[in-house]
Every structure is written in structure tokens, then in C-alpha cells.
Amino acid sequence: MKIIVTGGAGFIGSAVVRHIIENTVDQVLVLDSLTYAGNLASLKTVNKDSRFSFSKTDITDKAAVMEQINAFQPDVIMHLAAESHVDRSIDGPTDFIHTNIIGTFTLLEAARNFYDKLPASKQAQFRFHHISTDEVYGDLEGTTDLFTEETPYAPSSPYSASKASSDHLVRAWHRTYGLPVVITNCSNNYGPYHFPEKLIPLVILNALAGKALPVYGNGQQIRDWLYVEDHARALYLVATQAEIGETYNIGGHNEKKNIEVVEAICHLLDELQPADKKYSDLITYVNDRPGHDLRYAIDAEKIHADLGWKPIETFESGLRKTVEWYLNNNEWVNDVKSGAYMSWVEKNYEGRK
Ligand code: NAD
Ligand code: TYD
């Protein structure tokens, strides 16, 4: 198969590309505009493979997207390109509206134009897979409920509202124009190549640098953590095997309070890279995120029942692999710690003290 992966230089996109190149005979074309979050170094292990290609393309540029799609003739488009960080969306929502909504609209129109001209045999094979988040469902505060595929949308942040909008566009293009789509909504990912503005890599790298470990509010907020390679496996299964029009929730069955996550990282670092003091001494409670969702948790039973997927990593095994990866990959870490990382992450921390 020929698969286009938008956002393939990002955290999850690069895991999807590595998964496809390493485990299948498929060809991949990455379309990525290389924002601060996109990094070609995350594709270093696969970029010499003849089945891999890359184009620096902005998904909001319809002519450029059409040109790439027509030249590559994909069987599947996996759409991951997005602005993805909640705190940045609060700081400045414009890029989120532009990329996540206008970008998805542009890609849908380009895909529709391409699909409509395909012969029937190729149309039967074609899929547009939209990758989304559990944050579209909003906050599960004060309940023991889990998000199912039927949970009504109630996004809280500019990020989740923009992702919710994009999900609605994708469903509308299926119903109105017959575009063959599948959608997935996943919980918080963690693992190698994660940009250190998100909680887990930020805490690992700040701890190693002896800097404060910022915990928003009281640290009691709950996320359902999934190891990124488990997500990549699930995405490939859905893109290649799901029925047209289906939605799948993907999650790790790993509900953890933020403070538990931070403490678990500190314990691992105490063991793997002991310092003079315990890393947990660096934990610093800071001002909360506005509109902060208190709890997310996924019911991933449908993807298990229909496609046989379940996560391989436990939170303990995945977190250990992640911490070890950051300890052993200084080149990648030093690369992302320059420029955009230092300026925005440090500004965010200063603003919360
Ligand atoms: P990321 O921020 O690490 O990567 C996003 C990628 O998209 C980057 O390579 C960036 O350069 C690219 N990009 C941004 N704007 C673009 C544009 N206009 N044109 C082309 N490329 C552009 O994000 P991620 O964590 O890998 O998330 C990937 C997708 O998965 C997103 O759609 C996100 O909403 C979704 N998701 C993420 C998580 C998570 O925990 N990280 C969980 C569920 C769903
Ligand atoms: P994050 O990794 O930004 O993912 P999301 O907001 O998409 O869930 O944050 C995960 C949780 O960690 C979230 O509840 C906010 C919290 N958090 C902190 O407490 N400190 C931090 O420095 C960051 C980045 C996040």
C-alpha cells in the first residue's frame, strides 16, 4: 500500500512511520511543514529506506497538497498534522484554528478531489484516517465514567475545540460526499521522541537539568496514559482494517494522577541516574491551567472486540523505556532543547510561578 502520513515528523506521526517502515512492505510519504514540533531527526532510523519519502508541505496549502497527492497516488491518508499543545492553544489559539480546522478542511477537499477521480477498484480501497484526541469529550470530573465512542462532544480548550471541529468536518465529508473515512480518538501518549513541552518529557529533562518540576494546581488531575508504539500499532490496524465510517477510542487503561506520574519519573531517575538529592525535591506546585480538565479515561473495548488490539506496555514498562530513551539519546534531546523549546517552555513556567 501507499500511505500518506501528515504530521509524520511529529511525536506520534514519526512513531507511525517507523512502525510502517519497520513492520510492513508499504510505502510512506510524509507531508509535514516542520513547525517547532516537527523534527526530521525523529525519522532518522527510517529515512534511508527506499519506501520512505518526505515533502515539506503545509496542509493548509491546497495546491501543494493536491500536487503531492496526485503524484503519490495514496491508498490511505493518515492525518496527524496538528497543533497539539493545550497550553500553547490558551496562549495563542490562532495557529490551532488555522491548522486543525482549516488544514483538515483543506486536506478533506484535496482527498475528495483525488477520490472522485479514482477508478471504482481504487475507490473501494481508499481510506482517509483522521487521528484525534479523547479531549474532544471534555471533562470526566467527579465520575467513574469512561469515554465511549458515543460520549457527546464537550471540548474545554481551544486545542480540543479545534480538534472537535475537525472531527465534525471529517464525519460531514463522509456523510455528504461519501468520502471513506475512519476516525480514532486517543488518550495521552508518552514515549520516545516526545517534544519536551508535554508533561512526561518535560519532567524528565527538567529533572536531569536540576530545574523545577512544575505541577499545575494540586496535581490531582487524571490522564489515561498510552505508550506511543501501542498507539501506532492501533492506528495502522484501524487505517487498514476498520469498516468505513467507524470511530474507535484508543486508550491504555492507565489512569494516573499527574503527581503520581511525576513521582514515578523521579523514582526511576533516582535509580537510573542518581544525583546528590532525590529528584522529587524539585517538585514545584505552580498556578493551574485555565479551564483545566480534571479527568480523562478511555473505554477501549470496541477496538479490542473488533480489531483485536490491546496495549502491550504497562505504564511501568513504558515509563521505564521512555526514561531510558531520554537518558540514551542526547543528540535528539540537545537538538530540540535549542530554540523553540527553551523560549516557550521557559516563558510558560515563568508565567505560572
Ligand atoms: P506533535 O505536535 O508532536 O506533531 C505535530 C506535527 O504536525 C509536527 O511534525 C508538525 O510539524 C506538523 N504540523 C503542524 N502544523 C502543520 C501544518 N499546517 N502542515 C503540515 N504539518 C504540520 O503532535 P503529536 O503529539 O504527534 O499528535 C499527532 C496527532 O495526534 C494530532 O492530531 C493530535 O491532536 C493527536 N493526538 C495526540 C495525542 C498526544 O498525547 N500527543 C493524543 C491523542 C491524539
Ligand atoms: P500535557 O502533557 O500538556 O497533556 P494534555 O494537557 O493534553 O493532557 O499535560 C498532561 C497533564 O499534566 C495535564 O493535566 C497538565 C499537567 N501538566 C503539569 O502539571 N505540568 C506541566 O508542566 C505540564 C506541561 C502539564
Side-chain angles (χ1 to χ4, degrees):
M1 273 194 315
K2 291 175 144 193
I3 304 178
I4 285 182
V5 179
T6 74
F11 167 50
I12 301 172
S14 68
V16 169
V17 175
R18 290 191 301 274
H19 174 78
I20 296 173
I21 296 293
E22 286 163 10
N23 298 287
T24 77
V25 294
D26 298 339
Q27 293 178 45
V28 174
L29 166 63
V30 169
L31 301 184
D32 197 300
S33 63
L34 298 179
T35 67
Y36 77 93
N39 188 349
L40 287 176
S42 304
L43 294 164
K44 229 175 171 175
T45 58
V46 292
N47 69 8
K48 302 240 164 23
D49 196 295
S50 59
R51 291 176 293 121
F52 171 86
S53 53
F54 175 85
S55 166
K56 187 170 186 298
T57 296
D58 190 318
I59 57 158
T60 63
D61 180 345
K62 188 171 174 200
V65 171
M66 277 307 317
E67 196 182 315
Q68 291 299 326
I69 292 180
N70 285 328
F72 188 71
Q73 298 279 311
D75 302 297
V76 176
I77 296 177
M78 298 178 78
H79 173 35
L80 295 98
E83 289 293 335
S84 68
H85 188 37
V86 173
D87 294 319
R88 280 186 199 251
S89 83
I90 295 167
D91 210 23
T94 308
D95 288 349
F96 289 74
I97 304 306
H98 191 62
T99 288
N100 299 359
I101 305 178
I102 306 291
T104 300
F105 160 69
T106 307
L107 198 62
L108 283 167
E109 282 293 81
R112 179 163 79 94
N113 187 305
F114 170 72
Y115 173 79
D116 283 349
K117 295 191 189 112
L118 285 176
S121 60
K122 281 279 181 192
Q123 281 190 336
Q125 224 183 334
F126 184 79
R127 296 286 182 280
F128 184 100
H129 178 183
H130 178 60
I131 284 82
S132 191
T133 166
D134 63 352
E135 303 193 24
V136 298
Y137 298 124
D139 195 348
L140 286 171
E141 178 188 6
T143 71
T144 53
D145 296 350
L146 303 174
F147 296 133
T148 73
E149 289 78 1
E150 272 72 53
T151 302
Y153 277 32
S156 307
S157 70
Y159 163 66
S160 54
S162 69
K163 290 296 292 187
S165 306
S166 66
D167 293 11
H168 291 320
L169 291 176
V170 173
R171 289 198 176 91
W173 261 240
H174 171 55
R175 173 147 177 159
T176 302
Y177 302 116
L179 191 71
V181 309
V182 288
I183 298 179
T184 49
N185 296 86
C186 188
S187 61
N188 285 63
N189 283 216
Y190 68 101
Y193 303 99
H194 203 182
F195 192 81
E197 64 188 353
K198 308 275 169 66
L199 179 68
I200 288 181
L202 183 133
V203 166
I204 296 170
L205 296 189
N206 274 17
L208 290 173
K211 292 184 183 170
L213 309 181
V215 174
Y216 296 174
N218 62 9
Q220 297 299 302
Q221 307 84 357
I222 292 169
R223 299 291 183 264
D224 178 357
W225 294 95
L226 178 67
Y227 192 65
V228 67
E229 289 173 14
D230 278 325
H231 188 197
R233 252 186 332 109
L235 293 179
Y236 185 76
L237 265 183
V238 171
T240 56
Q241 294 186 25
E243 296 288 326
I244 291 169
E246 282 290 359
T247 293
Y248 286 101
N249 282 354
I250 307 172
H253 310 292
N254 279 314
E255 283 187 54
K256 302 280 175 206
K257 292 178 180 163
N258 289 343
I259 188 65
E260 293 172 342
V261 172
V262 175
E263 281 170 351
I265 294 168
C266 291
H267 289 146
L268 276 166
L269 286 172
D270 287 337
E271 176 198 323
L272 297 169
Q273 185 107 326
D276 295 345
K277 290 186 186 166
K278 292 218 162 305
Y279 287 101
S280 54
D281 291 352
L282 296 168
I283 291 174
T284 307
Y285 288 90
V286 295
N287 286 336
D288 210 348
R289 171 187 282 173
H292 200 167
D293 286 335
L294 290 183
R295 177 172 166 259
Y296 302 141
I298 284 269
D299 177 349
E301 203 31 57
K302 183 177 165 190
I303 187 171
H304 182 222
D306 287 4
L307 302 176
W309 176 88
K310 60 177 189 207
I312 292 173
E313 301 295 340
T314 63
F315 188 65
E316 289 66 31
S317 66
L319 195 64
R320 180 174 287 273
K321 280 189 179 178
T322 305
V323 171
E324 284 173 348
W325 189 89
Y326 279 90
L327 288 172
N328 294 327
N329 284 275
N330 279 327
E331 199 184 324
W332 187 92
V333 166
N334 290 335
D335 188 27
V336 297
K337 274 174 79 174
S338 59
Y341 163 72
M342 295 305 279
S343 56
W344 192 86
V345 171
E346 288 186 359
K347 180 180 140 230
N348 181 45
Y349 178 64
E350 289 303 319
R352 281 179 203 283
K353 277 198 298 193

